[in-house]
Structures are given as structure tokens and as C-alpha cells.
């Protein structure tokens, strides 16, 4: 037997005004730094990147413009945007060794695990991988943002045993991605929907994956390690993988007629959570979900078939969430609830949806890494020790 520590012996856990132990499980509402990148007003359904509302950016900008904005803290002039997009286009190709690697990764791994490995390997092949100057980090950011869509499209086509479609430098970031996936240029509405999806997923303050990236960067580790860590965090179903799980949930429900029964059996009994609902910060509707929802609706009308069925199931389930979970626990549908229906309508297989989130979010992670290490302090929280100390050490032969 040892002895338990008293709270007074762990003063870092005690609130000075109340004298009580405070544990911020899940690091909830703990501010770790100042930032000028993103603001979420979770009570009024508002999201801003560098001060610009997500509605304005989704209505008027391109993803390239948003990447520029997040990196340089200003919207580009037309000239700046042309130069910057040109730079991104030049970086799209991936080295032959990486294509070979994609052919060797077992096909049954989750695409996020492929991405983790491939991004790590891209880091191995980058001669500037240890350059932690701002310039060097920006170069690596552009390199990854440009190459990740190529990795995803090549992985997809390798799986289908189809010829790879090289990036087309005449096309914008989102349009080129769909072209590499499907081997033909998308129509204007589809290209714009893809572009808006990249904008909506580009950044979201100090979420679990951004935090992971910043924790890694704060040790002065390298850029690629930070991004690989962030990909690992995003892959969990409570975070980015929720967009895959939301679609599997709609599949499980099967038809709009089955929504109520499914909800009763799974949500009311507490067996399952609604995937694509709830958020640590939003206590009202996620503004990104509103924009995705509108695209999902338009696709349902244009495409009909399964896109329409998904939309109808999602709509019906959302009504239950908004009238029951939202009323009682402020649980509303979030970005990952609707995005999958848009991706499905764009002909993208469900298992890739979290990688699309990562492709878009690499800029957000990078912006946070850059901002944090500019005035770096290693991230090192504490725990409240609830075990015992001063236990008698028993030699191995005397242990029972
Ligand atoms: N469905 C049903 N009940 C829920 C849900 C949900 N999706 N989310 C939270 N709750 C309940 C939860 O059971 C708890 O109830 P009670 O107080 O009775 O025990 C209460 O709401 C608070 O939940 P919590 O787990 O303490 O909340 P959190 O802030 O720790 O978790 C969350 C946030 C996003 C992990 C959680 O809402 C969740 O698991 N959602 C489903 C997965 C999901 O959609 N994730 C995507 C998040 S948004 C974008 C992204 O990061 O990718």
C-alpha cells in the first residue's frame, strides 16, 4: 500500500479562487495561444477565416484564394492569385517512387492510412525537410496541398486498375482533382461544389488534428511529422472520419421510411450516436453544414437516384436531431453530416471522404504550425495524479 496525494501537493490542478481541483477533460475551453487565423462563434453559427465570413468565402472565393488568405493573412490581388495558383499547379506531380509506394500499400487499409504513409514518404524525399524557416515551411505547405489530391486520385485509380490521369495545369485545384479521379473534366456545377467543399474544410481553429500538429511542431520536430500526426488524429470517427461514418449510417438506415424506427432503436436507446452531429464548439447549427446541405439538395434534384435517397434520409434524420437532440443537448448536425452526400454526387467512393477533408485541411494545420512556432513554447500540460506514491518495492521473487 502506498499513499494518495492530496490536492495541495498538486497545486497546478487547483483553481486559486475556489481552491478546488479543476480538470479540463478533453482540454475543453482551454485557450492555448492567441491567434488571428480563425474564429468560431459557436452560439451564433458563425465562422470566420482571417476575419472573412465562411458564407462570403464559399460564395465568392476559390480554394486557392483561401489558401493564400490563410497563409498570408490577406486576400490576394488578381496578379498575386495568378502567380500563387501557378505555383500550386507546378507542384501537383508526385515522384515515381511515391507512385510505386501507392502500388505496394495493401488495398485493404483505410485510405487515411495510405495518406499517412504517403505524406511521410513525400517528407523523406524532400531535401528541404528540415528547413523550419517560414519560407521553407510555406514551400512545404504548397508542396503538400498540391500533391495530396494527386495521391488520392492515383490511389483511387490504382485500386480500379485504371490508367493514372496526370494533373492538368490548365485546371484549377478542385476541377483538376475531379479530372484526375474520373479521367474527364467535370461540369461547372460539380467543379464548383468540389471547390466549395475544399473551402469549407480548409480550417477550423484548434480542433484535435490542428492541436496534434501544433503539439508536434512545438517540440521543434519537422513539418512532415506534424502533418502526419494531424492525419492520424483526423482519421478518428469522432473527428474527420465522421463524414465516412455518416454515410455508412445513412446506408444502414436504408430508406427515408426507416429513419424513425432506426432513430428509436439506436439513438433513443443510447446504443449509437448520430454520426455527423454534435460539436465541442457549436451549440447551434454548423454554418458549414448549411452550405453543404444546399449543395446536397441541388445534387439530389439534379442527379436523382441514390443521391436523392441519401438526401431524403439525411433530411428526415436531421429533423429528429434538430427537434430532439438540439432542444435538449444543443446537438445539431455538423459539417460531416452533409459533405458525404455532396462527395457521393461527385462520383467519389465513400471510403475516400476523410482523405478529402485532410486534403483541404492541410492548409489549416500548416497555418497553425506557422503561427505557433513563430513564438514557440513547447506544449506540456499536466495531469492530476490519482494513484499512490511511496509504495513498498517488493523484489520479484517475493511477489504473490
Ligand atoms: N448523437 C447523440 N448524442 C450525442 C452526440 C451525437 N452525435 N454527440 C454528443 N451527444 C451527447 C452525449 O451522449 C452526451 O450526452 P450526456 O450528457 O447525456 O452524456 C452529450 O451529448 C455531450 O457529449 P460529449 O461527448 O460530452 O460532447 P463532446 O464535446 O465531448 O463531443 C463530439 C463532441 C463531436 C465528439 C460528439 O458530439 C460526437 O461524438 N459526435 C459524433 C461524431 C461527429 O460527428 N464528429 C464530427 C465532429 S465535427 C467536425 C470534425 O471534427 O470532423
Amino acid at each position: 500500500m502506498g499513499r494518495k496525494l492530496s490536492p495541495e501537493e498538486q497545486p497546478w490542478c487547483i483553481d486559486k479562487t475556489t481552491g478546488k481541483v479543476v480538470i479540463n477533460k478533453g482540454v475543453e475551453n482551454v485557450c492555448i495561444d492567441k491567434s488571428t487565423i480563425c474564429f468560431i462563434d459557436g452560439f451564433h453559427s458563425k465562422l470566420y477565416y482571417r476575419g472573412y465570413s465562411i458564407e462570403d468565402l464559399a460564395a465568392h472565393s476559390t480554394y486557392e484564394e483561401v489558401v493564400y488568405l490563410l497563409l498570408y493573412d490577406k486576400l490576394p490581388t488578381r496578379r498575386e492569385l495568378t502567380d500563387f495558383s501557378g505555383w500550386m499547379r507546378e507542384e501537383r506531380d508526385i515522384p515515381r517512387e511515391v507512385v510505386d509506394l501507392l502500388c505496394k500499400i495493401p488495398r485493404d487499409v483505410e485510405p487515411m492510412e495510405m495518406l499517412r504513409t504517403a505524406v511521410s514518404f513525400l517528407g523523406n524525399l524532400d531535401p528541404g525537410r528540415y528547413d523550419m524557416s517560414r519560407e521553407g515551411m510555406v514551400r512545404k505547405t504548397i508542396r503538400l496541398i498540391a500533391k495530396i489530391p494527386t495521391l488520392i486520385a492515383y490511389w483511387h485509380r490504382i485500386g480500379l486498375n485504371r490508367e493514372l490521369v496526370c494533373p492538368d495545369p490548365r485546371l484549377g485545384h478542385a476541377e483538376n482533382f475531379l479530372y484526375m479521379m474520373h479521367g474527364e473534366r467535370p461540369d461547372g456545377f460539380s467543379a464548383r461544389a468540389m471547390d466549395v467543399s475544399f473551402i469549407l474544410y480548409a480550417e477550423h481553429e484548434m480542433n484535435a488534428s490542428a492541436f496534434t500538429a501544433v503539439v508536434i511542431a512545438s517540440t521543434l520536430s519537422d513539418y512532415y511529422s506534424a502533418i502526419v500526426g494531424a492525419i492520424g488524429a483526423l482519421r478518428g470517427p469522432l473527428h474527420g472520419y465522421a463524414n465516412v461514418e455518416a454515410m455508412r449510417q445513412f446506408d444502414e438506415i436504408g430508406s427515408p421510411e426507416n429513419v424513425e424506427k432506426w432513430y428509436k432503436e439506436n439513438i433513443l436507446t443510447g446504443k449509437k450516436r448520430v454520426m455527423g452531429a454534435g460539436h465541442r464548439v457549436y451549440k447551434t447549427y454548423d454554418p458549414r453544414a448549411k452550405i453543404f446541405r444546399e449543395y446536397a439538395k441541388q445534387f439530389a434534384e439534379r442527379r436523382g437516384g441514390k443521391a436523392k435517397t441519401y438526401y431524403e434520409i439525411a433530411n428526415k434524420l436531421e429533423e429528429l436531431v434538430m427537434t430532439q437532440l438540439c432542444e435538449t443537448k444543443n446537438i445539431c448536425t455538423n459539417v460531416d453530416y452533409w459533405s458525404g452526400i455532396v462527395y457521393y454526387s461527385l462520383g467519389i467512393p465513400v471510403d475516400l471522404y476523410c482523405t478529402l477533408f485532410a486534403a483541404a485541411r492541410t492548409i489549416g494545420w500548416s497555418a497553425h504550425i506557422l503561427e505557433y512556432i513563430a513564438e514557440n513554447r513547447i506544449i506540456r500540460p499536466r495531469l492530476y495524479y490519482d494513484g499512490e506514491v511511496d509504495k513498498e518495492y517488493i523484489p520479484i521473487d517475493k511477489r504473490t
Side-chain angles (χ1 to χ4, degrees), residues 148-289:
I148 288 178
T150 314
L151 292 174
I152 299 168
Y154 281 13
W155 171 256
H156 171 62
R157 291 187 75 88
I158 290 166
L160 295 177
N161 223 354
R162 295 214 182 120
E163 217 174 296
L164 302 184
V165 178
C166 295
D168 183 338
R170 291 167 302 178
L171 307 181
H173 188 77
E175 187 177 13
N176 174 63
F177 170 67
L178 290 175
Y179 167 69
M180 290 190 297
M181 285 288 289
H182 301 314
E184 57 187 45
R185 280 185 73 165
D187 62 80
F189 182 74
S190 300
R192 183 61 191 152
M194 192 69 226
D195 200 21
V196 169
S197 88
F198 280 140
I199 294 172
L200 297 178
Y201 269 135
E203 158 57 11
H204 212 235
E205 211 231 25
M206 201 40 48
N207 50 77
S209 55
F211 186 57
T212 306
V214 166
V215 169
I216 295 172
S218 84
T219 69
L220 301 185
S221 174
D222 67 290
Y223 173 78
Y224 291 100
S225 295
I227 300 295
V228 167
I231 291 172
L234 189 71
R235 186 236 182 288
L238 299 187
H239 194 5
Y241 201 76
N243 65 8
V244 174
E245 294 289 354
M247 291 302 279
R248 293 190 178 145
Q249 152 189 281
F250 300 145
D251 277 333
E252 187 181 298
I253 295 170
S255 70
E257 294 72 38
N258 195 35
V259 169
E260 273 187 43
K261 181 169 174 281
W262 181 90
Y263 187 85
K264 242 188 225 163
E265 288 172 3
N266 294 285
I267 306 303
L268 291 185
T269 54
K271 254 204 268 176
K272 288 185 180 166
R273 286 183 169 205
V274 179
M275 296 314 285
H279 200 277
R280 181 60 66 76
V281 182
Y282 292 116
K283 298 305 161 204
T284 51
Y285 205 78
D286 180 337
R288 302 165 300 171

Side-chain angles (χ1 to χ4, degrees), residues 43-83:
F43 300 106
H44 301 99
S45 294
K46 291 276 179 200
L47 170 63
Y48 303 88
Y49 296 169
R50 301 279 191 195
Y52 297 98
S53 80
I54 195 67
E55 290 82 6
D56 278 342
L57 293 170
H60 308 298
S61 274
T62 59
Y63 180 66
E64 288 91 323
E65 239 180 309
V66 168
V67 170
Y68 187 100
L69 171 69
L70 289 168
L71 268 182
Y72 298 111
D73 199 2
K74 75 188 242 328
L75 284 168
T77 60
R78 199 167 282 287
R79 178 70 200 271
E80 284 164 338
L81 183 60
T82 306
D83 291 349

Side-chain angles (χ1 to χ4, degrees), residues 136-150:
M137 302 280 277
V138 167
R139 185 192 61 74
K140 282 179 276 205
T141 302
I142 302 304
R143 182 172 186 261
L144 270 195
I145 293 173
K147 289 186 187 342
I148 288 178
T150 314

